[in-house]
Amino acid sequence: MEKRLMATILAEDQKSFAILPDSPELAKALEEANVPTLLAAYVHLSHDEAFLERFADHIRPAFSYPPTDVPQELADELRAKLRRLLTTGEGVKGTPPSDALLQRIMTVTVGEPVQDEFLELVQDQCGFRPYIDRSKVEGRKAPKADFKVLVIGAGMTGMAAATKLREAGYDFVVIEKNADVGGTWYENRYPGVGVDTPSHFYSFSWEIWPDWQHYHPHGADMQKYMLATADKYDLRRDIRFNTKVEKLVWSDADNKWTVTVQKADGSREDIVVNAVINGHGPVNRYKFPDIPGLNDFAGTLVHTANYPAGLDLKGKRVAVIGTGASSAQLVGAIAPEVGQLTIYQRSKHWVLFNPEIAHEVSEGMRWALANIPSFKEWFRFRVYWSAADGLFSNVLKDPAWEGNMTAVSEGNAMTRQYALDYMHQRFADRPDLIEKLTPDFPIFSKRIILDNGWFDALTRPNVHLEDKGIARILPNGIEAKDGSVFECDVIICATGFNVAKMIGNLTIKGKGGRDLGEEWGEDDPRSYLGMCVPGYPNYFHTVGPNSAPNHAAGQNLISECQVNWIIEALDRVNEAGASAFEVTQEAFEEWNKKVDERMPQMIWTHPLANSYYNNSKGRVFLSWPWRLVDFFNATRAPEEGSYKLLN
């Protein structure tokens, strides 16, 4: 890695520590806040490693049994120590903790070893020491004034790109088809819409929010965060809303892209730029199911991703097609108000119960996140570990595993049993539902569902789960394959997105007239690191092939990492006085060979696994087959020899 990339912005000196008043709010926060996180914040400030070690035998990994058992007297001693430190300043060290101490805090507070390789990721992603702020890198060459970047989309990735391009000094414009920022969270407004990823990790590392109302944000909470972030960083001044990108054409003559956009009034405009960052994401092109008669339905037909405002379902007969994550959220929200509800299940899904998903963040916990130094950063680390890389063992096949065919390792079998036990407990008097809902494939081989009212809804007297399949749609309802008919007023399709056609309806013409749509076809995209394709210089396709973190939470981290790598690629162009960056054919082929060799080790290639991660030929085109920390480390900078610069 080049020396300039080792430049980091150090955490603020703890000499600026501000004493807090000994208030009822502080007392309430210390009582309600997560104890391992209070411990981390205390040791971060005090460097009291001896006290840290007294907790080592009492904190266990997430989902452990028996669970963490910190003695009450030890927890009370921690609260007293932290209270004294915060209200008097006594014991606060004047410097940030060493890397060794940070690592030890991590290990003790999550109850398992955290290796050296995670240090840089945690420093960056938890806000202790951001990896790089290019505006403050000494000796960095400023981008040329006439070098312009166009970003497609103002969702999470587009907003990250806008923030970091501005910080790096690039001239850019963001093209957004909607009327405001947010992407997925602007568009998805169906009842019950929520986020699988815990709130305190699913956010930008440079804007860690203490104000979440729930541990798993509702869709409206997520959009509120996106809007607040856009306000704080004044992002809208570089975004053209209600404008849609239609076509990208590369010019071999001047090494630039001509981007054709359609404006709100229907007119078209060509914008000439040096580089394009495509941040339109894979989950904004929703699809209706291919079922005979669908367009003949005489009632109201909607898709969850285009849910109409003000749709009144009270007392109505409603059919929901699909039983994935969106359906589970929707059904849990609407079941109490509809008259009759029939859910049509095509495939089964594993369901996990996380008690936090419905929990509001208590007043004391929110105060701690907002006011106790380093507390929100350490809580973010704890969430990352338990909801992301700490779960990776679930998706990695154990070659020595000799258990049943519905698991790939001992740990995966234990997670499966946890889910089974929960299902059997919830449906103890409904063996019919257990039979209908129990999958025959390993847990985590397709997207799991977090139960937030789904199981409750299925036991309601006005709800029926139909697993015989749909024969056809009638003008007045749905006919199942067993001949039964459910007459309904509303059909809601919770049938997902066309993820595999990654360029959507865009036309992308590269060098010599190459056509990316033809090369990728309907469902066989390949790239380098989920971003680059030879023959398409200065075109960066974020959240592309084999870059999705399908083992757990982490799309926010992937987006940030890809934006970091892209700006480093553009900096290579700028430093060399070149015009464009292009990944080599050799690097592209070697990368895809590496992915193909790795994938048989992953749960997604299990004989019983099949999901939208796979294309029509069964190839896993979507999933990143390593940990998030591996993606972070792979995207610090373009690897020398993997690219060429065009003059």
Side-chain angles (χ1 to χ4, degrees):
M1 186 181 296
E2 295 185 10
K3 285 184 180 178
R4 68 181 190 81
L5 281 178
M6 295 303 293
T8 56
I9 309 306
L10 295 177
E12 287 190 11
D13 194 315
Q14 291 182 194
K15 290 177 183 175
S16 61
F17 174 84
I19 292 174
L20 296 175
D22 193 356
S23 64
E25 290 81 8
L26 173 59
K28 185 178 179 67
L30 293 173
E31 187 60 38
E32 294 180 1
N34 176 267
V35 169
T37 312
L38 288 174
L39 174 64
Y42 168 72
V43 179
H44 186 107
L45 294 168
S46 68
H47 301 188
D48 188 349
E49 189 167 1
F51 187 62
L52 174 71
E53 294 305 326
R54 292 172 59 188
F55 288 78
D57 292 336
H58 300 289
I59 300 175
R60 299 184 180 84
F63 310 115
S64 291
Y65 190 83
T68 293
D69 62 346
V70 176
Q72 185 63 46
E73 59 271 20
L74 186 57
D76 288 343
E77 185 179 351
L78 165 64
R79 294 183 179 104
K81 281 178 173 288
L82 184 54
R83 186 172 190 165
R84 180 175 179 80
L85 180 148
L86 293 172
T87 57
T88 67
E90 294 177 16
V92 176
K93 297 298 181 183
T95 57
S98 66
D99 283 354
L101 180 54
L102 277 173
Q103 188 174 1
R104 187 59 189 158
I105 296 172
M106 294 177 209
T107 290
V108 170
T109 57
V110 297
E112 57 187 322
V114 178
Q115 306 301 335
D116 294 354
E117 62 183 327
F118 289 94
L119 268 173
E120 194 171 12
L121 178 150
V122 173
Q123 293 270 30
D124 176 73
Q125 283 295 304
C126 296
F128 294 125
R129 192 167 65 208
Y131 178 73
I132 187 168
D133 177 345
R134 291 170 182 83
S135 68
K136 299 177 182 178
V137 174
E138 229 176 283
R140 176 177 174 267
K141 186 177 180 181
K144 291 187 293 185
D146 61 352
F147 190 96
K148 185 156 188 171
V149 183
L150 183 142
V151 180
I152 304 174
M156 175 163 276
T157 306
M159 290 174 67
T163 304
K164 292 302 175 180
L165 284 167
R166 185 186 294 167
E167 186 180 87
Y170 282 95
D171 181 19
F172 70 96
V173 62
V174 181
I175 305 297
E176 170 54 54
K177 70 179 189 297
N178 294 321
D180 210 335
V181 302
T184 292
W185 306 112
Y186 175 91
E187 295 173 358
N188 284 263
R189 304 178 183 189
Y190 58 84
V193 61
V195 183
D196 290 353
T197 301
S199 312
H200 298 87
F201 182 50
Y202 192 54
S203 56
F204 298 119
S205 62
W206 55 83
E207 188 58 29
I208 302 175
W209 228 32
D211 298 330
W212 296 108
Q213 299 297 306
H214 301 86
Y215 284 103
H216 285 254
H218 298 171
D221 297 334
M222 195 64 221
Q223 181 63 356
K224 181 181 177 183
Y225 169 79
M226 302 295 254
L227 294 172
T229 301
D231 289 343
K232 180 175 179 178
Y233 292 87
D234 192 20
L235 297 182
R236 292 183 186 85
R237 67 182 166 98
D238 293 309
I239 303 174
R240 290 179 57 176
F241 293 108
N242 299 308
T243 306
K244 186 175 182 180
V245 176
E246 295 185 331
K247 182 164 63 173
L248 318 174
V249 178
W250 173 259
S251 169
D252 291 322
D254 59 9
N255 288 350
K256 291 183 179 179
W257 287 97
T258 297
V259 182
T260 302
V261 302
Q262 184 182 55
K263 296 187 284 187
D265 62 5
S267 64
R268 286 172 173 79
E269 176 187 353
D270 287 341
I271 306 172
V272 178
V273 296
N274 300 85
V276 176
I277 300 174
N278 189 343
H280 72 180
V283 290
N284 69 4
R285 297 172 294 280
Y286 62 87
K287 61 180 181 181
F288 281 97
D290 184 14
I291 300 173
L294 185 67
N295 294 326
D296 299 327
F297 181 61
T300 302
L301 175 68
V302 302
H303 193 287
T304 50
N306 190 31
Y307 200 88
L311 179 61
D312 182 12
L313 300 179
K314 190 172 182 179
K316 293 188 177 177
R317 300 166 300 173
V318 179
V320 173
I321 300 176
T323 51
S326 297
S327 173
Q329 293 172 352
L330 172 78
V331 167
I334 68 173
E337 67 169 333
V338 302
Q340 292 293 321
L341 175 62
T342 295
I343 307 146
Y344 290 86
Q345 174 177 273
R346 183 175 63 87
S347 58
K348 302 175 182 180
H349 295 266
W350 281 108
V351 177
L352 283 176
F353 176 62
N354 177 354
E356 281 189 348
I357 193 167
H359 286 184
E360 292 187 6
V361 183
S362 73
E363 185 180 341
M365 183 68 174
R366 289 202 306 275
W367 196 94
L369 287 160
N371 294 282
I372 296 179
S374 82
F375 184 90
K376 71 178 186 294
E377 290 82 4
W378 279 112
F379 192 67
R380 181 177 171 95
F381 161 70
R382 185 171 178 80
V383 174
Y384 154 73
W385 193 259
S386 64
D389 278 346
L391 296 174
F392 185 75
S393 61
N394 273 293
V395 299
L396 186 64
K397 295 176 184 174
D398 178 0
W401 172 248
E402 296 181 351
N404 59 55
M405 270 292 287
T406 53
V408 296
S409 66
E410 182 179 2
N412 184 243
M414 290 172 65
T415 306
R416 176 182 180 273
Q417 192 58 50
Y418 173 83
L420 273 177
D421 289 347
Y422 175 64
M423 183 189 298
H424 281 258
Q425 173 215 331
R426 293 302 310 277
F427 300 129
D429 58 349
R430 292 291 304 273
D432 60 314
L433 285 176
I434 292 174
E435 182 179 355
K436 286 180 178 181
L437 292 167
T438 303
D440 62 354
F441 52 83
I443 192 168
F444 280 102
S445 62
K446 67 165 68 173
R447 185 178 177 182
I448 60 168
I449 290 172
L450 293 179
D451 185 21
N452 188 20
W454 169 239
F455 277 4
D456 282 339
L458 292 177
T459 60
R460 294 181 61 89
N462 65 327
V463 175
H464 172 65
L465 179 65
E466 176 58 68
D467 66 345
K468 298 296 189 295
I470 297 174
R472 57 179 175 151
I473 307 294
L474 304 171
N476 64 335
I478 299 180
E479 180 182 335
K481 288 184 177 179
D482 64 359
S484 61
V485 174
F486 175 59
E487 294 186 358
C488 56
D489 308 298
V490 181
I491 295 177
I492 304 174
C493 297
T495 47
F497 302 85
N498 188 354
V499 174
K501 192 174 182 181
M502 284 195 161
I503 66 168
N505 295 321
L506 285 177
T507 297
I508 303 178
K509 299 279 192 176
K511 290 169 71 175
R514 293 176 60 168
D515 189 310
L516 190 59
E518 291 178 0
E519 292 177 22
W520 279 4
E522 289 297 311
D523 66 355
D524 200 25
R526 285 187 182 271
S527 69
Y528 175 80
L529 273 179
M531 289 182 278
C532 295
V533 182
Y536 300 85
N538 278 4
Y539 172 72
F540 304 98
H541 190 108
T542 65
V543 199
N546 294 114
S547 69
N550 291 140
H551 69 281
Q555 185 51 59
N556 51 302
L557 182 145
I558 297 293
S559 293
E560 287 191 21
C561 287
Q562 289 187 325
V563 166
N564 173 76
W565 189 93
I566 291 165
I567 295 177
E568 285 301 320
L570 295 178
D571 275 3
R572 298 295 187 275
V573 174
N574 186 56
E575 289 164 357
S579 63
F581 175 102
E582 182 181 5
V583 69
T584 67
Q585 185 69 31
E586 294 74 21
F588 171 84
E589 291 176 358
E590 182 59 32
W591 172 252
N592 280 281
K593 179 183 176 185
K594 183 179 176 183
V595 170
D596 289 344
E597 289 174 349
R598 171 69 166 180
M599 207 57 78
Q601 302 171 41
M602 308 308 298
I603 195 170
W604 308 299
T605 55
H606 188 280
L608 297 176
N610 184 40
S611 71
Y612 66 85
Y613 307 162
N614 308 76
N615 68 8
S616 58
K617 296 180 180 177
R619 184 175 75 83
V620 181
F621 73 90
L622 188 65
S623 307
W624 169 256
W626 293 278
R627 302 163 302 171
L628 292 182
V629 68
D630 299 312
F631 198 93
F632 180 89
N633 291 333
T635 51
R636 295 307 83 206
E639 185 179 342
E640 294 302 327
S642 68
Y643 62 91
K644 57 187 176 183
L645 299 178
L646 308 184
N647 293 317

